[in-house]
Amino acid sequence: MILGVHDGHDAGVVLIDGERIFAVNEERLNRVKKYRGFPELSVRKVLEMANASPEEVEAIAVAGIFRKQSRLIALEENLKAIFGKDFKRKVIFVEHHLAHSASAYYTSGWRDAIALSIDAAGDGLSSSIYVARDGEMIRMAQSTYLDSLGDFYASVTELLGFKPMRHEGKVMSLAAYGRPAYDLSSIIELNGLTFENHLKVVGVEATKKLAELFKYPLKHAKEIAMQMKRGKLEGKLQRKAIGIAASAQAHLEKLVEELGLRLNEHSLPVAYAGGVAQNVKANAVLRHVFGDDNLWVFPAMDDGGLAFGAAIFIKAQFERLDGKWRPSKLEHVYLGPEYSEEEIEGILKEEGVEYGEVSDVSGFVADALVEGELVGLFNGRMEYGPRALGNRSILADPRDESVKERLNVALKRDVFQPFAPSMLWQKAGEYLEDLNGEPNEFMTMSYTASEEFREAAPAVVHVDGTTRPQAVRKKVNELYYSTIEEFNKKAGIGAVLNTSFNMHGEPIVCSPADALESARKAGLDVLILAPFAVYV
C-alpha cells in the first residue's frame, strides 16, 4: 500500500493498494480552492475509503523536494502525527517533474514512450523530457525555472488582469475572439529541446516587462478584465487585450508544435502532464503531430496530480525490482469519495428538503433537459482532477444557445468562456471533424466541431468552431451514458452540455451537502443525488 502526498498548492493525496486507487484533493474536502498546505483531511479520507489504517501504508511518496527548513519541519510533524514516530522509514521524495511525467507514463498503457512535463516551475525546473522504456525513465532534456514556457503564459495571464497559475484557461478562451497581433519570438523560443526565455526574468518582473513591450496599462488590467468578464469585448483596450491573448496562445502552440516535431523523430508515443498540459488547444496541436492514438494527456495534469505521480512512480520501481512491472492504462478517474443511499437520504432529511426517489434516473434527467431545466447530477465516486465527468456535473440542453447566458449568470462565470459537451462514444466520429482515432474521454483535448454538431449543439461549440468533449463509454459510467442515450432518443442529439458542479471560484462539490449548497446558490431546477431527486 503506497500513499502519495502533495504538500503544496493544490494539495492532495492518492492511495494505491494493488489495483485499487483512492484519490482526492484537499480543496474538495476543506472547500478552499487550490488549497496550499498539508492535505490532512485527504490522508484520512483515502485511508477511510480503503478501510485501511496508517500502519498498513508501506511507503509514503512525497511529491517535490523540500528546500525550506520550516516547510520540511511542518511536513514531518504532520506525517508523524498520523503515521507515528518512525514515519521517516517510509518516506521517499519524488522530484516535481519526475512525478508529473510519471503520472502520464505509468497510466498511458505504453511500454515505451516519451514522458513530457511542462509547467511554470517545480524543483528548479519548468520542463522535463524522459525516454521511458520497460518501466524505466531516463531524463534526456529539461528547462530551468527561468526558461519557463508556463511562466510566460502565466505572466500574460497576470498582465491581462487575471490570476496567474489559476486563470490561464481564461486567456486561452479569450484568444479565440481575436487574431495574433504580435510576434513573441523575441520573448521565448525553443532551443533544441529546451525553452529559452530572452526576458531573463519570471513572475511579476516578467509581467512588468511584458506591459512595457505591449504598452498595456497594467494598473488598469483588473478593471479591463472585469469588463470583459461581463461581456464588454469591443473597447479599444479590450481588443488590445484580446490581441495579446491571441498572440500568446498562438506562440504557445507554435513552440509546442516545434517541440512535438522534434520529439516525433524518436518514433515513440508521448505521455504528457504538467500545468501547460491544461491548454487543450495546444494539446490539439500535439495530437496533430503524433496522431490521436499516440498522445496521452494525464487527466489530473496540473499540480493537483502530483501525489498520483509520486505514488505510481514508487509503485513502478517496486514492481521493477521484483521483475513484475507491466504497462497499465488508466481507464477512468472516478477515484474519489462516494456516498451510500443511506448517507444521502440522511443528509436530505437533516437539511429538511423535499425529495423523492427516482426509479429511472437517466430518463428523468433526459426529460428535464429537454424541458430546458438545469440539472445537477451527483452520482457515485467523485472525479479526480480538474474536470467534472458526469458524477459531479451540471447538465443542460446543448441545442439551446441561450442556456449559456443563464449558466454564466447562475454560476458567476466569465461570459467569454465556452461550455463543453459529454457525448456518446460512438457519436464522436460524427461530431468531431478532426478525429482520427479513439475520442478523448477526459476533456483534455480540443477538436474542430463538425458542421452537423455546430448546428445541432451551438451551446457547446466555442466562437472559433472548436469543442472540448468527453466521449462516454457505457462500461465506464453506465448511468451517465444511459442519460445521454435517453437524451439522444428524445432530442435527436447524442450529447449534453456538461459543466463542473460548482460556483465560479469554488471547488467542485464533493459531498451531498456541498451539492445542495451549490445547487441553491446557482438556482438549479433539479438536483439529482442518485437515486433521489430534489427540486431546489
mmCIF file of all heavy atoms in Angstrom, residues 433-467:
data_model
loop_
_atom_site.group_PDB
_atom_site.id
_atom_site.type_symbol
_atom_site.label_atom_id
_atom_site.label_comp_id
_atom_site.label_asym_id
_atom_site.label_seq_id
_atom_site.Cartn_x
_atom_site.Cartn_y
_atom_site.Cartn_z
ATOM 1 N N GLU A 433 -14.757 16.835 -36.295
ATOM 2 C CA GLU A 433 -14.279 16.847 -37.674
ATOM 3 C C GLU A 433 -12.878 16.264 -37.823
ATOM 4 O O GLU A 433 -12.568 15.597 -38.801
ATOM 5 C CB GLU A 433 -14.303 18.289 -38.188
ATOM 6 C CG GLU A 433 -14.240 18.432 -39.682
ATOM 7 C CD GLU A 433 -14.493 19.865 -40.101
ATOM 8 O OE1 GLU A 433 -15.667 20.250 -40.252
ATOM 9 O OE2 GLU A 433 -13.499 20.605 -40.251
ATOM 10 N N ASP A 434 -11.987 16.543 -36.859
ATOM 11 C CA ASP A 434 -10.590 16.149 -36.996
ATOM 12 C C ASP A 434 -10.221 14.960 -36.111
ATOM 13 O O ASP A 434 -9.066 14.806 -35.700
ATOM 14 C CB ASP A 434 -9.662 17.331 -36.698
ATOM 15 C CG ASP A 434 -9.962 17.993 -35.362
ATOM 16 O OD1 ASP A 434 -11.034 17.735 -34.782
ATOM 17 O OD2 ASP A 434 -9.114 18.787 -34.893
ATOM 18 N N LEU A 435 -11.198 14.097 -35.817
ATOM 19 C CA LEU A 435 -10.916 12.891 -35.041
ATOM 20 C C LEU A 435 -10.390 11.808 -35.961
ATOM 21 O O LEU A 435 -11.029 11.459 -36.945
ATOM 22 C CB LEU A 435 -12.195 12.419 -34.339
ATOM 23 C CG LEU A 435 -12.087 11.120 -33.522
ATOM 24 C CD1 LEU A 435 -11.168 11.309 -32.322
ATOM 25 C CD2 LEU A 435 -13.475 10.670 -33.057
ATOM 26 N N ASN A 436 -9.213 11.288 -35.645
ATOM 27 C CA ASN A 436 -8.605 10.227 -36.460
ATOM 28 C C ASN A 436 -8.102 9.078 -35.601
ATOM 29 O O ASN A 436 -7.027 8.539 -35.811
ATOM 30 C CB ASN A 436 -7.443 10.796 -37.290
ATOM 31 C CG ASN A 436 -7.918 11.752 -38.359
ATOM 32 O OD1 ASN A 436 -8.661 11.365 -39.253
ATOM 33 N ND2 ASN A 436 -7.508 13.008 -38.262
ATOM 34 N N GLY A 437 -8.884 8.714 -34.627
ATOM 35 C CA GLY A 437 -8.528 7.627 -33.714
ATOM 36 C C GLY A 437 -9.583 7.540 -32.638
ATOM 37 O O GLY A 437 -10.731 7.948 -32.851
ATOM 38 N N GLU A 438 -9.222 7.055 -31.464
ATOM 39 C CA GLU A 438 -10.180 6.978 -30.375
ATOM 40 C C GLU A 438 -10.442 8.370 -29.812
ATOM 41 O O GLU A 438 -9.529 9.175 -29.678
ATOM 42 C CB GLU A 438 -9.665 6.041 -29.271
ATOM 43 C CG GLU A 438 -9.608 4.583 -29.690
ATOM 44 C CD GLU A 438 -9.553 3.643 -28.496
ATOM 45 O OE1 GLU A 438 -9.245 4.119 -27.382
ATOM 46 O OE2 GLU A 438 -9.820 2.444 -28.676
ATOM 47 N N PRO A 439 -11.697 8.673 -29.475
ATOM 48 C CA PRO A 439 -12.008 10.001 -28.928
ATOM 49 C C PRO A 439 -11.505 10.162 -27.500
ATOM 50 O O PRO A 439 -11.190 9.181 -26.823
ATOM 51 C CB PRO A 439 -13.539 10.050 -28.993
ATOM 52 C CG PRO A 439 -13.961 8.619 -28.908
ATOM 53 C CD PRO A 439 -12.897 7.826 -29.626
ATOM 54 N N ASN A 440 -11.452 11.393 -27.053
ATOM 55 C CA ASN A 440 -10.939 11.706 -25.722
ATOM 56 C C ASN A 440 -12.042 11.547 -24.674
ATOM 57 O O ASN A 440 -13.153 12.031 -24.853
ATOM 58 C CB ASN A 440 -10.399 13.132 -25.719
ATOM 59 C CG ASN A 440 -9.650 13.461 -24.458
ATOM 60 O OD1 ASN A 440 -10.253 13.790 -23.444
ATOM 61 N ND2 ASN A 440 -8.336 13.364 -24.505
ATOM 62 N N GLU A 441 -11.697 10.910 -23.566
ATOM 63 C CA GLU A 441 -12.672 10.635 -22.514
ATOM 64 C C GLU A 441 -12.574 11.585 -21.329
ATOM 65 O O GLU A 441 -13.377 11.503 -20.398
ATOM 66 C CB GLU A 441 -12.489 9.204 -21.999
ATOM 67 C CG GLU A 441 -12.703 8.135 -23.038
ATOM 68 C CD GLU A 441 -12.534 6.739 -22.470
ATOM 69 O OE1 GLU A 441 -13.317 6.371 -21.562
ATOM 70 O OE2 GLU A 441 -11.619 6.015 -22.904
ATOM 71 N N PHE A 442 -11.589 12.485 -21.342
ATOM 72 C CA PHE A 442 -11.279 13.240 -20.121
ATOM 73 C C PHE A 442 -11.290 14.762 -20.296
ATOM 74 O O PHE A 442 -10.798 15.480 -19.436
ATOM 75 C CB PHE A 442 -9.921 12.792 -19.587
ATOM 76 C CG PHE A 442 -9.853 11.320 -19.295
ATOM 77 C CD1 PHE A 442 -9.226 10.443 -20.170
ATOM 78 C CD2 PHE A 442 -10.433 10.807 -18.151
ATOM 79 C CE1 PHE A 442 -9.163 9.083 -19.909
ATOM 80 C CE2 PHE A 442 -10.383 9.445 -17.871
ATOM 81 C CZ PHE A 442 -9.750 8.583 -18.751
ATOM 82 N N MET A 443 -11.804 15.251 -21.419
ATOM 83 C CA MET A 443 -11.830 16.696 -21.672
ATOM 84 C C MET A 443 -10.436 17.317 -21.599
ATOM 85 O O MET A 443 -10.271 18.427 -21.091
ATOM 86 C CB MET A 443 -12.774 17.410 -20.692
ATOM 87 C CG MET A 443 -14.238 17.131 -20.947
ATOM 88 S SD MET A 443 -15.299 18.165 -19.905
ATOM 89 C CE MET A 443 -16.914 17.763 -20.552
ATOM 90 N N THR A 444 -9.450 16.625 -22.123
ATOM 91 C CA THR A 444 -8.082 17.152 -22.133
ATOM 92 C C THR A 444 -7.658 17.599 -23.528
ATOM 93 O O THR A 444 -6.494 17.939 -23.739
ATOM 94 C CB THR A 444 -7.079 16.092 -21.632
ATOM 95 O OG1 THR A 444 -7.122 14.942 -22.500
ATOM 96 C CG2 THR A 444 -7.382 15.658 -20.212
ATOM 97 N N MET A 445 -8.598 17.614 -24.475
ATOM 98 C CA MET A 445 -8.243 17.857 -25.869
ATOM 99 C C MET A 445 -9.308 18.682 -26.580
ATOM 100 O O MET A 445 -10.490 18.471 -26.384
ATOM 101 C CB MET A 445 -8.100 16.506 -26.593
ATOM 102 C CG MET A 445 -7.309 16.547 -27.857
ATOM 103 S SD MET A 445 -5.540 16.753 -27.574
ATOM 104 C CE MET A 445 -5.169 15.270 -26.633
ATOM 105 N N SER A 446 -8.861 19.607 -27.409
ATOM 106 C CA SER A 446 -9.778 20.394 -28.226
ATOM 107 C C SER A 446 -9.883 19.768 -29.616
ATOM 108 O O SER A 446 -8.899 19.237 -30.139
ATOM 109 C CB SER A 446 -9.262 21.832 -28.335
ATOM 110 O OG SER A 446 -10.016 22.576 -29.247
ATOM 111 N N TYR A 447 -11.072 19.832 -30.214
ATOM 112 C CA TYR A 447 -11.311 19.323 -31.569
ATOM 113 C C TYR A 447 -12.087 20.367 -32.366
ATOM 114 O O TYR A 447 -12.752 21.233 -31.791
ATOM 115 C CB TYR A 447 -12.135 18.031 -31.535
ATOM 116 C CG TYR A 447 -11.468 16.849 -30.891
ATOM 117 C CD1 TYR A 447 -11.481 16.702 -29.508
ATOM 118 C CD2 TYR A 447 -10.821 15.882 -31.649
ATOM 119 C CE1 TYR A 447 -10.876 15.604 -28.901
ATOM 120 C CE2 TYR A 447 -10.211 14.781 -31.054
ATOM 121 C CZ TYR A 447 -10.242 14.660 -29.680
ATOM 122 O OH TYR A 447 -9.629 13.582 -29.081
ATOM 123 N N THR A 448 -12.050 20.240 -33.667
ATOM 124 C CA THR A 448 -12.899 21.061 -34.526
ATOM 125 C C THR A 448 -14.264 20.393 -34.627
ATOM 126 O O THR A 448 -14.355 19.220 -34.992
ATOM 127 C CB THR A 448 -12.288 21.204 -35.934
ATOM 128 O OG1 THR A 448 -10.994 21.810 -35.821
ATOM 129 C CG2 THR A 448 -13.176 22.052 -36.828
ATOM 130 N N ALA A 449 -15.301 21.118 -34.265
ATOM 131 C CA ALA A 449 -16.651 20.558 -34.318
ATOM 132 C C ALA A 449 -17.089 20.415 -35.778
ATOM 133 O O ALA A 449 -16.797 21.274 -36.618
ATOM 134 C CB ALA A 449 -17.622 21.456 -33.572
ATOM 135 N N SER A 450 -17.782 19.327 -36.076
ATOM 136 C CA SER A 450 -18.309 19.142 -37.426
ATOM 137 C C SER A 450 -19.437 20.147 -37.656
ATOM 138 O O SER A 450 -20.019 20.691 -36.713
ATOM 139 C CB SER A 450 -18.834 17.720 -37.602
ATOM 140 O OG SER A 450 -19.982 17.518 -36.792
ATOM 141 N N GLU A 451 -19.742 20.382 -38.912
ATOM 142 C CA GLU A 451 -20.813 21.325 -39.242
ATOM 143 C C GLU A 451 -22.137 20.867 -38.637
ATOM 144 O O GLU A 451 -22.915 21.678 -38.117
ATOM 145 C CB GLU A 451 -20.949 21.455 -40.772
ATOM 146 C CG GLU A 451 -21.924 22.525 -41.199
ATOM 147 C CD GLU A 451 -21.952 22.730 -42.707
ATOM 148 O OE1 GLU A 451 -21.009 22.281 -43.399
ATOM 149 O OE2 GLU A 451 -22.916 23.359 -43.177
ATOM 150 N N GLU A 452 -22.358 19.558 -38.667
ATOM 151 C CA GLU A 452 -23.586 18.992 -38.087
ATOM 152 C C GLU A 452 -23.667 19.323 -36.595
ATOM 153 O O GLU A 452 -24.718 19.734 -36.087
ATOM 154 C CB GLU A 452 -23.587 17.464 -38.282
ATOM 155 C CG GLU A 452 -24.733 16.755 -37.568
ATOM 156 C CD GLU A 452 -24.557 15.236 -37.502
ATOM 157 O OE1 GLU A 452 -23.694 14.701 -38.235
ATOM 158 O OE2 GLU A 452 -25.262 14.605 -36.700
ATOM 159 N N PHE A 453 -22.544 19.160 -35.891
ATOM 160 C CA PHE A 453 -22.545 19.381 -34.450
ATOM 161 C C PHE A 453 -22.683 20.864 -34.116
ATOM 162 O O PHE A 453 -23.346 21.237 -33.149
ATOM 163 C CB PHE A 453 -21.263 18.805 -33.832
ATOM 164 C CG PHE A 453 -21.328 18.675 -32.327
ATOM 165 C CD1 PHE A 453 -22.237 17.828 -31.732
ATOM 166 C CD2 PHE A 453 -20.472 19.406 -31.514
ATOM 167 C CE1 PHE A 453 -22.304 17.708 -30.342
ATOM 168 C CE2 PHE A 453 -20.520 19.301 -30.135
ATOM 169 C CZ PHE A 453 -21.447 18.439 -29.546
ATOM 170 N N ARG A 454 -22.035 21.712 -34.928
ATOM 171 C CA ARG A 454 -22.156 23.162 -34.687
ATOM 172 C C ARG A 454 -23.614 23.617 -34.775
ATOM 173 O O ARG A 454 -24.061 24.444 -33.981
ATOM 174 C CB ARG A 454 -21.336 23.937 -35.725
ATOM 175 C CG ARG A 454 -19.833 23.770 -35.592
ATOM 176 C CD ARG A 454 -19.116 24.605 -36.637
ATOM 177 N NE ARG A 454 -17.860 23.969 -37.027
ATOM 178 C CZ ARG A 454 -16.931 24.544 -37.759
ATOM 179 N NH1 ARG A 454 -17.119 25.781 -38.200
ATOM 180 N NH2 ARG A 454 -15.828 23.917 -38.080
ATOM 181 N N GLU A 455 -24.321 23.070 -35.742
ATOM 182 C CA GLU A 455 -25.723 23.463 -35.926
ATOM 183 C C GLU A 455 -26.619 22.859 -34.854
ATOM 184 O O GLU A 455 -27.547 23.504 -34.366
ATOM 185 C CB GLU A 455 -26.204 23.021 -37.309
ATOM 186 C CG GLU A 455 -25.548 23.788 -38.451
ATOM 187 C CD GLU A 455 -25.985 23.292 -39.820
ATOM 188 O OE1 GLU A 455 -26.823 22.364 -39.864
ATOM 189 O OE2 GLU A 455 -25.502 23.825 -40.841
ATOM 190 N N ALA A 456 -26.319 21.624 -34.478
ATOM 191 C CA ALA A 456 -27.185 20.907 -33.537
ATOM 192 C C ALA A 456 -26.925 21.287 -32.082
ATOM 193 O O ALA A 456 -27.837 21.240 -31.259
ATOM 194 C CB ALA A 456 -27.010 19.399 -33.714
ATOM 195 N N ALA A 457 -25.673 21.643 -31.755
ATOM 196 C CA ALA A 457 -25.311 21.874 -30.351
ATOM 197 C C ALA A 457 -24.519 23.172 -30.190
ATOM 198 O O ALA A 457 -23.375 23.162 -29.741
ATOM 199 C CB ALA A 457 -24.514 20.684 -29.832
ATOM 200 N N PRO A 458 -25.107 24.323 -30.544
ATOM 201 C CA PRO A 458 -24.354 25.584 -30.514
ATOM 202 C C PRO A 458 -23.881 25.985 -29.113
ATOM 203 O O PRO A 458 -22.923 26.741 -28.985
ATOM 204 C CB PRO A 458 -25.351 26.597 -31.076
ATOM 205 C CG PRO A 458 -26.698 26.001 -30.827
ATOM 206 C CD PRO A 458 -26.507 24.529 -30.975
ATOM 207 N N ALA A 459 -24.519 25.488 -28.072
ATOM 208 C CA ALA A 459 -24.157 25.888 -26.710
ATOM 209 C C ALA A 459 -22.823 25.296 -26.247
ATOM 210 O O ALA A 459 -22.264 25.758 -25.253
ATOM 211 C CB ALA A 459 -25.259 25.481 -25.729
ATOM 212 N N VAL A 460 -22.309 24.288 -26.979
ATOM 213 C CA VAL A 460 -21.062 23.654 -26.545
ATOM 214 C C VAL A 460 -19.965 23.764 -27.607
ATOM 215 O O VAL A 460 -18.994 23.003 -27.602
ATOM 216 C CB VAL A 460 -21.282 22.167 -26.164
ATOM 217 C CG1 VAL A 460 -22.116 22.073 -24.894
ATOM 218 C CG2 VAL A 460 -21.944 21.389 -27.307
ATOM 219 N N VAL A 461 -20.131 24.715 -28.523
ATOM 220 C CA VAL A 461 -19.102 24.977 -29.539
ATOM 221 C C VAL A 461 -18.603 26.402 -29.332
ATOM 222 O O VAL A 461 -19.397 27.343 -29.247
ATOM 223 C CB VAL A 461 -19.658 24.792 -30.965
ATOM 224 C CG1 VAL A 461 -18.587 25.124 -31.999
ATOM 225 C CG2 VAL A 461 -20.155 23.355 -31.153
ATOM 226 N N HIS A 462 -17.288 26.557 -29.239
ATOM 227 C CA HIS A 462 -16.703 27.874 -28.971
ATOM 228 C C HIS A 462 -16.800 28.758 -30.212
ATOM 229 O O HIS A 462 -17.096 28.293 -31.312
ATOM 230 C CB HIS A 462 -15.250 27.700 -28.527
ATOM 231 C CG HIS A 462 -14.675 28.883 -27.793
ATOM 232 N ND1 HIS A 462 -15.461 29.809 -27.135
ATOM 233 C CD2 HIS A 462 -13.384 29.305 -27.612
ATOM 234 C CE1 HIS A 462 -14.689 30.722 -26.587
ATOM 235 N NE2 HIS A 462 -13.425 30.454 -26.863
ATOM 236 N N VAL A 463 -16.524 30.024 -30.041
ATOM 237 C CA VAL A 463 -16.645 31.011 -31.112
ATOM 238 C C VAL A 463 -15.751 30.688 -32.305
ATOM 239 O O VAL A 463 -16.049 31.072 -33.441
ATOM 240 C CB VAL A 463 -16.335 32.426 -30.561
ATOM 241 C CG1 VAL A 463 -14.889 32.539 -30.116
ATOM 242 C CG2 VAL A 463 -16.682 33.510 -31.564
ATOM 243 N N ASP A 464 -14.672 29.930 -32.082
ATOM 244 C CA ASP A 464 -13.764 29.558 -33.179
ATOM 245 C C ASP A 464 -14.094 28.202 -33.791
ATOM 246 O O ASP A 464 -13.327 27.662 -34.588
ATOM 247 C CB ASP A 464 -12.307 29.575 -32.692
ATOM 248 C CG ASP A 464 -12.054 28.590 -31.556
ATOM 249 O OD1 ASP A 464 -13.021 27.946 -31.083
ATOM 250 O OD2 ASP A 464 -10.897 28.483 -31.118
ATOM 251 N N GLY A 465 -15.237 27.636 -33.427
ATOM 252 C CA GLY A 465 -15.672 26.362 -34.019
ATOM 253 C C GLY A 465 -15.074 25.131 -33.368
ATOM 254 O O GLY A 465 -15.234 24.024 -33.882
ATOM 255 N N THR A 466 -14.406 25.302 -32.225
ATOM 256 C CA THR A 466 -13.813 24.149 -31.542
ATOM 257 C C THR A 466 -14.676 23.723 -30.359
ATOM 258 O O THR A 466 -15.536 24.467 -29.891
ATOM 259 C CB THR A 466 -12.395 24.471 -31.031
ATOM 260 O OG1 THR A 466 -12.461 25.529 -30.064
ATOM 261 C CG2 THR A 466 -11.485 24.856 -32.178
ATOM 262 N N THR A 467 -14.411 22.522 -29.866
ATOM 263 C CA THR A 467 -15.129 21.995 -28.711
ATOM 264 C C THR A 467 -14.200 21.078 -27.928
ATOM 265 O O THR A 467 -13.271 20.492 -28.497
ATOM 266 C CB THR A 467 -16.410 21.252 -29.164
ATOM 267 O OG1 THR A 467 -17.214 20.948 -28.026
ATOM 268 C CG2 THR A 467 -16.092 19.970 -29.930
#
